[in-house]
Amino acid sequence: MVLKEMKSTLPPGSYYFSGNEAAAEGAIAAQCGYYAGYPITPSSELMHRIAARFRETGAVFMQMEDELASICSIIGASWAGARAMTATSGPGFSLMQEAISYAIMTETPIVIVDIQRVGPSTGQATRPGGGDMMQAKWGSHGDREVIAISPWSVQEMYDQTINAFNLAERYRVPVILLSDEAIAHLRERIEVRERITIFNRRKEKGAPPFGAGDDGVPPMPAFGEGEKLLVTASTHTEYGLRKTNDPLVQAKLASRLHYKIVNKREEIIEYEHYHVEDAEVVVIAYGFTARSSLFAVERLRQEGKKVGMIRLKTIWPFADRLIRNLGAKVKKVFVPEMNIGQMAGEIMKYAPCDVISFSQTNGEVIHPYTIMEQLERLL
Amino acid sequence: MATDVRQYLRLEAPPMPFCPGCGDRILLRLILTAIDELKINMDDMLFVSGIGCAAWIPSPHFNADTLHTLHGRAIAFATGAKLFNPKLKVMVISGDGDLADIGGNHLIHAARRNIDLTVICANNMVYGQTGGQVAATAAKGVLTATTTAGNYYRPFDLCKLVNAAGATYAARYSVTQPTLLISSIKKALQTEGFSFIEVISPCPTQFGRRNRLDTPKDTFKFFEDKLITKEDAEGLSPQELENRIITGEFSNGSS
Ligand SMILES: Cc1ncc(C[n+]2csc(CCOP(=O)(O)OP(=O)(O)O)c2C)c(N)n1
Ligand SMILES: [Mg+2]
């Protein structure tokens, strides 16, 4: 369709980056044209790299007065035609919630990187946490569908940032990179490929910018193209006219915004599986915790234990079918998380088997031995 | 000769939502007249508004690109659009509550950065849309839904505020001064950098009613009686100027 292959901005080869730096490079590779942000630990290095590198690429960088202004300005820039992004952490992510729902309602492609730190509130600013998983899904009023991705390595901070831009533009929806302090401050070698694939926003002169299109995702014009756009987050018709009393228009719009994502979830959702074929107990993990989990699973396999692992790369939309099928085959699933069972609760909604939630919210990553210990008790 | 502004209106839009006697309807006309006199192509314009009655002036009525945003955040949205595509001519039109209360921080920062935006703030001293609660621009003593014993606090002087923050052009006029206001809007549109006009735009329904101003005419008179030009205000004491609305241009440097 509108996929374009192009040369990556960095010369191909290996680089030694932190997660934050890799996400910044991913954004540059994806041709991010506008970035606005407000400093917050542990995400700030991402913005520092953007500020320095955008001077070379000619893209626009703005340090705004707060996170409200940051996210609103990237939405404005997106409608002016930019691939647009911001990055933050818990407190800032909370401030952005109203505008995330604005972007959902107006079908504005934006990318938000959330480097999670342990909360509630200011919590421990330099320590990792996983407490924003549900906020990413339900953080603002109204039923709302977003796409959220959980990277587990510095390589994925680069690759998944590019993917986040492509998904945002493809589905006209905010995409959240739900990372955390441990990945953002980790330094690893990554490989930058010669070529990457970019999704170019679909345009169609005169077509309704909020219509159903062929697949529920309308084409997206930009300001300044003579389309006389009407953009509003009040309930609107397919040409953007406000209809704030019409139950049919409201029901139709809310339903399309939901199903344009949910009906495409098999295309969107990515995951990995390890040793699940004959496993009796399966770990379901994501982000940094999946690294510890994989270590534990591999060790226990060497000892002949029937244990496997699923790594959720996509958090939202949720991999409900995967979990339902898996739960029908195994005795138990074990869900280690740096929050109090946020995804375990979601897994319980679908898995027809025992779901054991393991929580650690002390600001430290979960040690592989901790996971081994827990699994040994279940086997 | 009155300008026919219908050519700039989106005719498929529903009838305008403004109450009888609302100042915003006059303001709408004056903005379009200024655009007509400058012969600006509406395809080059982007109108950004927040939430409130005044935010409905451009959206959906202006036949151009319009971005109706969140309460208080219009200037932040406008900043992103303008900086990514500097060719867009961006005008923000919103209420006093929107721009000066909940959005006050974005207002002063856009003025400080001197972003090339024109901001038109319709001041009716209240939150018209939500039932007439007090705004930060309300004169001392006025009755509103939330100041039933009279407003206790002082109003913001928005022109001083944006000037202190670094705006290139700031002015205050009332919709009852159409000629002055049109030429001020034209100046603002031609200003490179941040330009700001506070427009006194009376609200008979929410403000007038509560202050025992029985008709739109009474509400207009209430505001007109407070107006005093910058020149006439010179030399008057702060006591004499309390509760007066000073009109004119208050730009940094020029005029
Ligand atoms: C975050 C948020 N808080 C509150 C509201 C409710 N609200 C809508 S308009 C408005 C005040 C509008 O006042 P003003 O900007 O002066 O506009 P007017 O209606 O007077 O023209 C408020 C409080 C909202 N929409 N969003
Ligand atoms: Mg008002």
Side-chain angles (χ1 to χ4, degrees):
Chain A
M1 205 207 256
V2 257
L3 291 173
K4 198 174 97 190
E5 238 204 40
M6 50 170 291
K7 272 191 114 133
S8 38
T9 37
L10 283 177
S14 9
Y15 292 84
Y16 188 60
F17 280 147
S18 73
N20 275 333
E21 290 164 349
E25 286 300 332
I28 292 159
Q31 301 196 319
C32 174
Y34 184 88
Y35 178 105
Y38 187 80
I40 185 166
T41 303
S43 73
S44 296
E45 302 84 7
L46 197 165
M47 182 161 81
H48 298 170
R49 190 166 186 98
I50 290 274
R53 290 275 282 127
F54 271 19
R55 290 180 56 207
E56 300 162 19
T57 68
V60 183
F61 163 75
M62 273 301 279
Q63 180 175 325
M64 295 300 284
E65 54 272 21
D66 56 30
E67 287 86 350
L68 309 170
S70 302
I71 187 160
C72 293
S73 84
I74 72 169
I75 296 171
S78 182
W79 276 101
R83 290 195 180 86
M85 169 167 149
T86 187
T88 187
S89 183
F93 192 51
S94 300
L95 285 181
M96 291 181 180
Q97 292 301 322
E98 186 194 17
I100 293 175
S101 110
Y102 180 94
I104 290 167
M105 191 64 153
T106 53
E107 302 179 72
T108 311
I110 51 168
V111 172
I112 304 151
V113 179
D114 176 19
I115 307 295
Q116 295 174 86
R117 58 193 237 186
V118 63
S121 195
T122 312
Q124 295 182 320
T126 59
R127 298 301 191 118
D132 303 358
M133 310 307 289
M134 280 293 163
Q135 186 178 209
K137 178 68 183 78
W138 300 115
S140 22
H141 60 290
D143 289 295
R144 74 213 246 305
E145 284 303 325
V146 291
I147 297 175
I149 304 168
S150 170
W152 79 334
S153 63
V154 175
Q155 179 74 49
E156 277 197 352
M157 288 294 277
Y158 177 80
D159 293 337
Q160 291 288 21
T161 300
I162 298 171
N163 187 29
F165 276 98
N166 287 347
L167 289 168
E169 299 288 335
R170 161 75 182 85
Y171 294 101
R172 282 188 60 180
V173 74
V175 177
I176 300 159
L177 200 70
L178 270 174
S179 184
D180 64 43
E181 187 276 337
I183 300 284
H185 285 161
L186 183 69
R187 280 190 178 274
E188 283 182 323
R189 206 179 75 164
I190 75 162
E191 294 299 326
V192 169
R193 292 178 310 279
E194 165 102 42
R195 304 186 80 75
I196 57 165
T197 305
I198 294 287
F199 187 92
N200 271 336
R201 204 172 282 188
R202 201 159 61 85
K203 291 193 187 281
E204 195 184 320
K205 245 195 155 13
F210 309 98
D214 323 330
D215 61 352
V217 186
M220 183 166 171
F223 295 143
E225 294 176 349
E227 294 277 302
K228 302 184 187 302
L229 289 172
L230 267 176
V231 183
T232 178
S234 296
T235 300
H236 48 271
T237 65
E238 56 179 20
Y239 279 99
L241 264 185
R242 271 196 304 282
K243 286 277 182 207
T244 51
N245 286 313
D246 188 327
L248 283 179
V249 176
Q250 166 64 27
K252 201 173 140 194
L253 178 59
S255 146
R256 185 172 63 74
L257 295 180
H258 176 80
Y259 287 109
K260 78 171 183 181
I261 304 299
V262 168
N263 286 350
K264 291 286 161 57
R265 64 193 188 286
E266 301 305 323
E267 270 173 42
I268 297 168
I269 291 170
E270 292 180 29
Y271 64 94
E272 283 174 356
H273 52 85
Y274 301 88
H275 310 298
V276 283
E277 301 73 31
D278 61 341
E280 289 167 6
V281 176
V282 169
V283 183
I284 302 179
Y286 53 88
F288 195 96
T289 309
R291 298 167 76 109
S292 306
S293 302
L294 186 57
F295 179 94
V297 166
E298 295 289 4
R299 274 289 173 88
L300 290 169
R301 271 282 160 181
Q302 282 165 20
E303 295 169 19
K305 303 276 167 58
K306 295 210 160 154
V307 46
M309 177 178 120
I310 298 269
R311 175 166 83 93
L312 301 175
K313 296 172 76 172
T314 309
I315 302 298
W316 308 113
F318 188 66
D320 57 340
R321 288 182 191 160
L322 170 75
I323 299 302
R324 200 186 301 272
N325 294 339
L326 177 83
K329 282 193 296 206
V330 303
K331 289 195 187 130
K332 289 174 185 166
V333 302
F334 175 73
V335 190
E337 298 183 87
M338 290 192 274
N339 57 48
I340 308 184
Q342 294 195 15
M343 296 314 292
E346 192 69 12
I347 290 165
M348 282 173 202
K349 272 163 76 174
Y350 303 103
C353 68
D354 276 356
V355 177
I356 294 105
S357 166
F358 178 79
S359 297
Q360 182 179 297
T361 57
N362 60 359
E364 296 196 339
V365 297
I366 306 177
H367 199 281
Y369 290 161
T370 309
I371 295 175
M372 273 175 71
E373 239 170 65
Q374 295 293 324
L375 285 173
E376 271 161 352
R377 280 193 219 160
L378 296 177
L379 283 159
Chain B
M1 253 317 272
T3 312
D4 182 3
V5 298
R6 271 176 308 181
Q7 55 184 312
Y8 303 112
L9 293 176
R10 203 185 289 270
L11 296 175
E12 74 270 23
M16 290 182 189
F18 308 113
C19 303
C22 174
D24 289 353
R25 190 191 292 266
I26 306 172
L27 176 56
L28 177 149
R29 192 193 166 79
L30 300 181
I31 293 169
L32 292 178
T33 306
I35 284 173
D36 181 77
E37 289 181 9
L38 289 176
K39 300 194 166 51
I40 293 175
N41 182 349
M42 285 291 258
D43 279 351
D44 299 334
M45 293 286 312
L46 166 63
F47 296 94
V48 185
S49 57
I51 298 287
C53 296
W56 283 342
I57 292 174
S59 171
H61 305 292
F62 287 5
N63 200 17
D65 285 332
T66 60
L67 180 63
H68 181 239
T69 67
L70 291 169
H71 190 31
R73 316 289 162 219
I75 288 176
F77 282 85
T79 299
K82 177 70 191 181
L83 291 181
F84 182 72
N85 183 359
K87 278 191 278 196
L88 295 170
K89 219 169 162 37
V90 184
M91 178 184 267
V92 175
I93 306 170
S94 228
D96 46 347
D98 190 82
L99 290 166
D101 288 30
I102 188 169
N105 200 31
H106 310 309
L107 178 68
I108 57 176
H109 282 279
R112 170 181 67 85
R113 297 185 184 113
N114 210 15
I115 305 276
D116 188 14
L117 302 174
T118 295
V119 177
I120 309 251
C121 174
N123 178 2
N124 53 10
M125 296 195 183
V126 287
Y127 297 178
Q129 185 154 95
T130 46
Q133 300 86 356
V134 70
T137 43
K140 260 185 140 170
V142 298
L143 298 171
T144 73
T146 47
T147 56
T148 48
N151 180 27
Y152 182 74
Y153 300 106
R154 292 168 295 182
F156 263 134
D157 182 331
L158 293 180
C159 289
K160 271 192 188 158
L161 186 68
V162 297
N163 262 346
T168 299
Y169 177 85
R172 182 185 299 111
Y173 290 105
S174 158
V175 293
T176 55
Q177 302 168 308
T179 316
L180 291 168
L181 187 46
I182 290 168
S183 74
S184 175
I185 296 170
K186 284 162 72 176
K187 263 198 190 170
L189 278 167
Q190 288 169 306
T191 299
E192 266 183 52
F194 191 80
S195 54
F196 176 84
I197 308 175
E198 177 187 337
V199 179
I200 305 301
S201 179
C203 170
T205 305
Q206 295 293 359
F207 182 88
R209 218 163 30 107
R210 284 208 173 73
N211 287 281
R212 318 233 153 64
L213 303 161
D214 291 338
T215 65
K217 198 172 146 206
D218 297 326
T219 307
F220 271 69
K221 186 161 184 329
F222 172 90
F223 283 98
E224 268 199 287
D225 288 346
K226 288 185 180 296
L227 301 181
I228 178 168
T229 64
K230 186 174 84 177
E231 292 70 29
D232 287 348
E234 257 165 47
L236 294 186
S237 69
Q239 288 77 7
E240 288 168 304
L241 285 173
E242 204 183 65
N243 268 333
R244 300 301 297 271
I245 297 171
I246 305 173
T247 61
E249 293 177 333
F250 309 91
S251 311
N252 285 322
S254 62
S255 66

